[in-house]
Amino acid sequence: MVVLKEGMCPGLDEGLLRDLRAADIKTVEDLVSSDIERLAQQCSVSYKALFAIRRVLLAQHTAFPVSGADLYEELLSSTAILSTGNPSLDKLLDSGLYTGEITELSGGPGSGKSQVCFGVAVHVSHQLKQSVIYIDTTGGLTAGRLLQMLKTETSSTQEQTEALQRIHVFRLFDVFSVLDCLYSLRGGVLQQASVGGGGGSVRAVIVDSVSAVISPLLGGKQTEGMSLMIQVAGVLKTMAKDFNVAALVTNHVTTSGSGEVQPGLGVSWSHIPRTRILLQRAENAAAAGRSGLRTATLIKSSRQPCHIKEEFDLRWWSRSEGGSSSGKRKLEETDS
Amino acid sequence: MGYFTAGNNKAMLLLVSCVAMCDSYFEKVRAELYLQGMLGHWSRRDVWSCRQQLAGQMQRPVSSLSLSPSVKVKLAGAGFQFTAELLQFTPAQLRAETALSQEEALEVLQAVRTGGGEEGAGAPLTALELLLQEEDFQSIMTFSSQLDDALGGGLPVGRMTEICGAPGVGKTQLCLQLSVNVQVPQCFGGLEGQVIYIDTEGSFLLQRVVDIADAAVRHCSLLVEDDEQRAAVTTFSVETVLSNIFLVRCRDYVELLAELHLLPGFLLEHPRVRLLVIDSVAFPFRQLFDELSQRTRLLNSLAQQLIAIATTHHVGVVITNQMTTRVRGSQSQLVPALGESWGHASSIRLLLHWQGCQQLATILKSPGHMEADIQYQITSAGFRDTSQSEQPQSKRPRTHSDQSAATQRDTSC
């Protein structure tokens, strides 16, 4: 739906525009869907002229076909698979996060969603030397933890600093500022990055969590929430596709009537991510006391059979420290 | 996505116009074939660059702006879908085009210009800058050295912490203790801040605050080593502690929500506030709700508001939550109240519970710390380590370890 303007196409002059307005034709959509013959009589212009204008407008606003062979070639040259840095998760995701797609992590409180996001951010920025955009909507991003993860990867302060500098953090707490941010990213930062190419371009956008900004709008008598949710989904999708970045989002979970745990935000959102993973505390671990063991279940994927499960340990990312001492390690670092 | 919009690609446009304006049918078909041929011969790179160009120009829908629904409906009625179409308008012109009032038109144009611009979302921080920021912020001591250890120095400023627990386990006591501790002078390793205490249950006990403050003041006076600390102790008294606590009594959820809307202004006037306590968030929300989805929505927006306050004003937010029983088949389980989605709201979740005759604090979730169980006790002086538990030797700054040693002394006598 675009408003008709003078000079949009040859033949659409001021006089005709005025006539069209009088006939209640304001937008391209109106013109395209109107009965041309009747309109020609109403505005007293030639049928041929109106027909030509419509053709130009249609051609201007249409999508154009690309051959599958070209797409395949493009896919080979521009798609990347970003490893999450954790072998079990990589196995579940068919070797990692694909650029151009939205991957979703869902799970209850303390199920390790943010930890996986941290791990991915650190891995992409340090191992793959690419920039990461991290949109934090829950205030959960702890740079101290990122540093802790980095320290297990490298002992060089220089490399740690560089890796941290490649992680760009936005802290936004409502849906409109998230939308502002995503649109301006698409118009600005990512555009430059993709044109510039080379090392250090943005390859991953992480939104932790997408449900935190959307769920305040859903429920009750609000109707706008749905539309805003789809807006967020749309901009994330086009961004992922057009700039070849991997989008990783997190979602909360709800428990259905039968006691089954499923990702939140309802059915319409469930169509948005290409791959969905459900994180849960490992059942046997709950009995054994505190541990970082989690199970990840693949609930939607276009590549792998669904409902395959993998078990992994959140302490993987701080492995060389040896388990429970990590909390203390951090204390030493920040204090000294 | 490869939608053409006007003026995107001059050559394309020209070509398409040619086809459309051709007079004879024969000519048209030929031109069309030519056009198709052109597209067919476009190399991958051409298609790619064209798509890149288009993507950058892809416009932002008006409906994604932060405007009231009625304004959006009016704009859509007048045929405006993308913000770019509104950019050239003056308020008067926009009023003529649409059914908007003068103020609404101004508001729309403002939203279009700030929201669509590059600077709309503010500059990002790098994780390195964030790390430096985090190191600048101190944590609020709990006076239980083991819990401080597990949390990396205490409850963090700039984050939201939730304390859950059954009645009588010490949630309010911990809140009162934190309200006093946040005021400890800087030379003793404290934050010398003020506190806003939102009381919804009517459980704020002044007598307990006096006890706890008295213990903390005595404690600091025992630690005095140099002149700076001596000077600080003279101003750190029970009276000043009490005068730095702003108590807000909210009787129902409407009062609570209204108070939170006014808080940012209050915080600007009182820049020394470092702690916001809500005791408890569950109480006003566990009553008088016919529709559960409405409650969830209100709670979620409350959570986002609190997180925003915590981050922008560098305030530690501590909220308490009650427990509820969840029945699963034949088993019942005690879980934090307010539903599953509320669990995502806080960054750190502490569960206080009894195990036999011991009181345990469990870190249920935290982005930066391991899960842990810590023993504690509530003494007349406040929240403390259990005296018999072994103190793990850890590297802490001197002031801290002095304090914790003194804490032990206090609790044992």
Side-chain angles (χ1 to χ4, degrees):
Chain A
M1 204 159 73
V2 181
V3 180
L4 284 173
K5 271 196 287 285
E6 205 184 327
M8 233 174 166
C9 69
L12 193 64
D13 56 17
E14 204 180 334
L16 180 58
L17 211 56
R18 204 173 330 111
D19 290 342
L20 285 173
R21 293 220 141 191
D24 207 23
I25 303 285
K26 281 189 206 153
T27 64
V28 173
E29 194 185 62
D30 292 339
L31 182 66
V32 165
S33 55
S34 64
D35 181 356
I36 293 279
E37 208 165 337
R38 205 167 47 81
L39 201 63
Q41 282 170 1
Q42 257 180 348
C43 305
S44 60
V45 279
S46 79
Y47 173 77
K48 214 194 257 174
L50 264 185
F51 190 79
I53 287 171
R54 187 162 85 162
R55 276 192 58 89
V56 174
L57 288 178
L58 279 175
Q60 277 176 13
H61 291 91
T62 187
F64 66 100
V66 184
S67 88
D70 286 342
L71 267 185
Y72 184 63
E73 211 179 311
E74 187 189 311
L75 179 102
L76 290 183
S77 68
S78 58
T79 303
I81 304 173
L82 309 177
S83 162
T84 59
N86 182 314
S88 336
L89 276 180
D90 280 352
K91 205 168 136 199
L92 210 62
L93 289 165
D94 193 15
S95 70
L97 304 170
Y98 282 64
T99 59
E101 293 185 5
I102 301 180
T103 309
E104 181 196 79
L105 292 168
S106 50
S111 60
K113 302 181 297 294
S114 298
Q115 294 297 324
V116 174
C117 289
F118 294 171
V120 170
V122 163
H123 190 80
V124 172
S125 84
H126 175 65
Q127 297 288 343
L128 310 177
K129 305 268 182 279
Q130 305 285 337
S131 296
V132 176
I133 289 177
Y134 198 113
I135 302 180
D136 178 23
T137 66
T138 59
L141 179 62
T142 314
R145 177 78 181 126
L146 293 179
L147 181 66
Q148 200 181 326
M149 286 175 164
L150 271 172
K151 287 198 171 171
T152 69
E153 304 253 352
T154 172
S155 55
S156 141
T157 325
Q158 172 76 17
E159 282 182 29
Q160 286 167 4
T161 316
E162 281 173 9
L164 284 176
Q165 274 169 334
R166 274 192 291 268
I167 302 176
H168 304 277
V169 182
F170 289 93
R171 311 175 96 180
L172 309 162
F173 305 109
D174 67 275
V175 72
F176 293 111
S177 47
V178 169
L179 277 170
D180 280 351
C181 170
L182 290 175
Y183 278 106
S184 73
L185 276 182
R186 206 177 56 178
V189 183
L190 287 175
Q191 184 83 343
Q192 285 157 17
S194 68
V195 170
S201 61
V202 177
R203 274 289 160 263
V205 174
I206 299 173
V207 186
D208 179 26
S209 89
V210 78
S211 57
V213 287
I214 292 175
S215 48
L217 301 161
L218 297 175
K221 291 174 192 70
Q222 294 276 312
T223 50
E224 213 195 354
M226 255 334 175
S227 129
L228 285 168
M229 176 172 93
I230 301 303
Q231 298 259 358
V232 173
V235 64
L236 269 175
K237 272 202 162 181
T238 48
M239 192 165 85
K241 201 86 215 156
D242 292 336
F243 299 106
N244 259 306
V245 296
L248 180 66
V249 300
T250 64
N251 191 352
H252 67 241
V253 289
T254 54
T255 314
S256 68
S258 55
E260 203 183 329
V261 176
Q262 47 189 212
L265 296 182
V267 183
S268 2
W269 178 265
S270 71
H271 298 284
I272 308 301
R274 177 73 68 89
T275 312
R276 311 186 92 185
I277 286 184
L278 183 68
L279 296 178
Q280 279 168 310
R281 278 169 200 268
E283 276 154 31
N284 51 354
R290 310 273 145 221
S291 86
L293 270 190
R294 301 286 188 270
T295 47
T297 318
L298 192 66
I299 41 178
K300 177 179 171 183
S301 170
S302 44
R303 290 186 205 89
Q304 303 246 74
C306 282
H307 300 292
I308 52 173
K309 270 189 190 188
E310 280 289 333
E311 212 163 85
F312 69 100
D313 197 333
L314 285 180
R315 284 176 297 194
W316 166 264
W317 280 287
S318 40
R319 54 198 176 275
S320 56
E321 291 175 25
S324 58
S325 69
S326 59
K328 243 167 256 159
R329 270 291 288 264
K330 197 199 154 211
L331 195 71
E332 286 169 25
E333 290 151 21
T334 46
D335 286 349
S336 57
Chain B
M1 291 289 279
Y3 289 111
F4 278 102
T5 45
N8 260 337
N9 193 316
K10 289 278 151 53
M12 253 327 270
L13 192 64
L14 202 68
L15 205 57
V16 174
S17 309
C18 287
V19 178
M21 298 308 275
C22 284
D23 264 332
S24 79
Y25 179 72
F26 180 69
E27 252 178 314
K28 206 180 285 176
V29 170
R30 245 191 24 198
E32 221 158 53
L33 283 175
Y34 174 65
L35 180 63
Q36 275 170 13
M38 281 289 291
L39 278 182
H41 287 124
W42 271 22
S43 71
R44 186 183 55 78
R45 194 151 294 282
D46 290 336
V47 173
W48 180 238
S49 71
C50 188
R51 199 163 104 179
Q52 288 279 307
Q53 207 182 343
L54 291 173
Q57 288 173 357
M58 212 176 108
Q59 295 144 313
R60 176 170 184 177
V62 171
S63 54
S64 73
L65 291 173
S66 176
L67 296 168
S68 78
S70 68
V71 172
K72 285 183 195 171
V73 167
K74 281 178 192 165
L75 282 174
F80 294 105
Q81 200 195 0
F82 295 110
T83 54
E85 292 165 12
L86 292 165
L87 272 177
Q88 317 87 318
F89 279 93
T90 64
Q93 281 173 321
L94 191 62
R95 260 183 74 196
E97 291 285 320
T98 58
L100 294 170
S101 71
Q102 178 76 24
E103 290 86 53
E104 284 172 332
L106 269 173
E107 195 192 0
V108 167
L109 291 178
Q110 210 160 17
V112 167
R113 281 180 195 143
T114 55
E118 303 272 303
E119 68 283 357
L125 288 167
T126 67
L128 188 68
E129 289 160 339
L130 200 65
L131 184 72
L132 296 176
Q133 254 186 33
E134 268 174 30
E135 281 172 1
D136 275 351
F137 293 151
Q138 276 182 295
S139 302
I140 306 167
M141 295 174 281
T142 59
F143 274 15
S144 154
S145 57
Q146 288 181 356
L147 188 57
D148 285 351
D149 268 353
L151 289 171
L155 292 191
V157 167
R159 277 178 208 288
M160 180 143 104
T161 308
E162 184 183 5
I163 302 169
C164 325
V169 78
K171 300 188 295 291
T172 304
Q173 299 293 328
L174 180 53
C175 288
L176 297 179
Q177 182 74 61
L178 288 168
S179 318
V180 173
N181 292 358
V182 76
Q183 304 181 33
V184 170
Q186 267 162 2
C187 50
F188 290 105
L191 281 111
E192 218 170 322
Q194 292 175 319
V195 56
I196 301 174
Y197 197 105
I198 299 181
D199 180 21
T200 63
E201 294 188 346
S203 57
F204 184 84
L205 280 177
L206 199 61
Q207 192 47 48
R208 284 298 293 151
V209 182
V210 173
D211 288 348
I212 293 169
D214 192 43
V217 169
R218 255 187 301 129
H219 195 80
C220 285
S221 54
L222 287 175
L223 293 173
V224 170
E225 274 175 359
D226 53 32
D227 289 341
E228 192 195 355
Q229 293 182 332
R230 201 160 293 127
V233 156
T234 55
T235 55
F236 185 59
S237 65
V238 176
E239 286 73 37
T240 52
V241 167
L242 292 180
S243 66
N244 281 330
I245 299 178
F246 302 102
L247 182 71
V248 186
R249 175 89 172 89
C250 292
R251 279 170 206 83
D252 59 19
Y253 77 94
V254 181
E255 280 187 9
L256 179 61
L257 292 178
E259 175 59 28
L260 285 182
H261 273 286
L262 297 176
L263 260 186
F266 186 86
L267 285 170
L268 283 179
E269 285 168 32
H270 298 84
R272 273 180 59 214
V273 171
R274 282 288 157 272
L275 178 67
L276 167 67
V277 179
I278 303 182
D279 182 28
S280 73
V281 85
F283 184 68
F285 281 98
R286 289 184 83 175
Q287 46 187 342
L288 294 172
F289 271 98
D290 305 331
E291 205 186 347
L292 221 57
S293 63
Q294 169 79 356
R295 185 185 87 164
T296 314
R297 191 174 67 79
L298 284 175
L299 274 173
N300 282 327
S301 58
L302 175 102
Q304 290 306 112
Q305 254 179 318
L306 285 176
I307 296 169
I309 288 175
T311 328
T312 49
H313 297 277
H314 308 308
V315 170
V317 175
V318 173
I319 53 176
T320 65
N321 192 357
Q322 300 172 343
M323 302 296 277
T324 185
T325 314
R326 184 163 62 192
V327 184
R328 275 277 157 77
S330 59
Q331 290 178 321
S332 72
Q333 203 184 353
L334 215 55
V335 295
L338 298 181
E340 190 134 28
S341 68
W342 175 254
H344 298 278
S346 52
S347 309
I348 298 172
R349 201 170 209 193
L350 280 180
L351 175 69
L352 304 185
H353 58 113
W354 290 95
Q355 199 175 68
C357 56
Q358 289 172 338
Q359 281 163 302
L360 280 184
T362 305
I363 303 177
L364 281 187
K365 75 166 211 175
S366 165
H369 313 102
M370 294 302 291
E371 293 172 355
D373 290 311
I374 296 109
Q375 276 190 38
Y376 70 92
Q377 61 175 357
I378 308 283
T379 67
S380 62
F383 191 88
R384 296 290 188 272
D385 279 323
T386 43
S387 41
Q388 71 271 23
S389 64
E390 276 301 302
Q391 188 75 18
Q393 208 53 50
S394 60
K395 290 175 194 163
R396 294 154 57 81
R398 212 165 46 83
T399 49
H400 273 246
S401 50
D402 282 350
Q403 208 121 37
S404 61
T407 311
Q408 279 197 315
R409 223 184 303 134
D410 245 17
T411 50
S412 53
C413 63

